[in-house]
Amino acid sequence: MINLNEKWTKVLSILKEEIPNESYNTWVLPLVPSVFEKNKLTLFSPHSFTAVTLKQSYGEIITRALAEVFKEPVQFEIIQDKILAENFEKAQRKVKKEEQKKITAEFSESKYDALKQMLSDCHLNTKYQFDNFVVGSYNKLAYGAALGVAEGKAGEKFNPLFIYGGSGLGKTHLIQAIGNYIFSKRKLKVKYVTTEEFLNDLLENLYHGVEKDTFTKGAEKNKRMTKFRQKYRSVDVLLIDDIQFVAGKARMEEELFNIFDALYQGGKQIVLTSDRLPSEIKGISDRLKTRFEWGLMADIGVPDLETRMAILKQLIDKEGQTGFSLEVIEFLASVYKNNIRELEGAYNKVCAYCSVYGEEPTLDIVKKAINYNSLSKKITIDFIINKTAEFFGISEEEIKGGSRVAAVAYARKAAIYAARELTGDSWQSIGNVLGNRKHSTIMYSYTEVKENMLRDDKLCDEINTLFNIINQS
Ligand code: ADP
Ligand code: MG
């Protein structure tokens, strides 16, 4: 994992040499690196006009410095952060006029504390708001329910609110928007946590500590666990992202169940997201499933082309980018159909490509930037079977046939998983090529591999290598 603060410090040392002192202190120094994802760095600023000022005057210098430190083209965006802004204003009010020059420097020391405070208290990222969430028919229900919960109008009917849908389609955005709204407008105590973070927190509290005699250890553990439970039970709104990962983790389930009941009985709001319905989360108890289904379940489907274009257009406008024609926007939105995160990633790639090579985002350049040719190369089920057989050192006939020898069955399942992931073809058409197997058999094998990959690193590596071979052939 990259250490963002470390990288940003390196970028700062380059920028300090290249940007005049005054501008550097005013605009650059107060920036706080927030997220690095898909070749894009998000920076928080206390000022609303930093983005325009910096992009206009020093955009190229910053892009170059980022590329040098990250060793690849990196886009950046600058967002005003409300908490940083408030702290900055407070600091400004405190200091007398003649000392004002020192403010920025002083502030930059305290900025991490301010952010840390916010992150540790409620764990929210202010970039996710209702205002910048594009609504279409596919997410209308989830959006309406989320807003209802945020405004506090929903009452018991929407408790818990369970938002489910595929990856990259806005679940985290919505659940965080609820948190941001409640935190800033209703001033309630909000806690956002991913299921993974919750699990890590639980394990840390359960097993942390140096070797001591059992008695002391037990007492300390009890104290820690009481604090842990208190932390989650003392909130007004608990937001848990990606709850499907609770599956198969009995201890976590138990804790979650108790927290859930305590909050629910206290009339506190709970919001959960998942990539599937409660009934489809295997390996959790019925009592927890039932709890998940008590309130409202709202799904997010697949966005239509128009919505995908609107989301992309919003991103372009926000960044003040010019040169993106409607044709290019439509093209990008039509290539990335099922995942907004991928669409955003592609857009960032295009921007990085254009700024590094000094190009305009014409259709040809966009195709080059996203490597469209290899993307659109049609991978067929037959091709996948061929490559999988070669990879596992068995014959294509064996993969298609009925052998139950472990090595053959293993390779067959890998082929099924690859076929579904890489072609997106229907269960039945994959079944037809694989020795006329039933749709349910294919689906079962696919799910089995997918779930095993979560636990089995060796399988995960093997599948990734196979994918690379198929994609690069
Ligand atoms: P998920 O949690 O479902 O995997 P995310 O909420 O992380 O997906 O969304 C991926 C990216 O797409 C985020 O940057 C998010 O802001 C953006 N996004 C998704 N849906 C929308 C939408 N309807 N309007 C605006 N941005 C969206
Ligand atoms: Mg998410």
Side-chain angles (χ1 to χ4, degrees), residues 37 127-128 132-135 138-139 165-174 241-242 300 307 311 314 339-341 344:
E37 201 179 63
K127 82 174 190 181
Y128 297 117
N132 58 8
F133 188 80
V134 178
V135 186
Y138 77 103
N139 60 11
S167 173
L169 293 176
K171 299 184 298 296
T172 297
H173 190 135
L174 260 190
D241 209 354
D242 286 322
I300 299 185
T307 312
I311 293 173
Q314 173 182 278
N339 190 321
I340 304 294
R341 193 179 297 115
E344 289 186 350

Side-chain angles (χ1 to χ4, degrees), residues 95 123-124 155 167 203 222 246 293 349 359 363 384 447 461 471:
V95 183
H123 238 144
L124 291 166
S167 173
L203 295 179
N222 286 343
V246 73
E293 291 168 350
K349 242 190 213 165
E359 298 278 5
L363 196 55
I384 289 172
T447 315
D461 284 348
N471 280 324

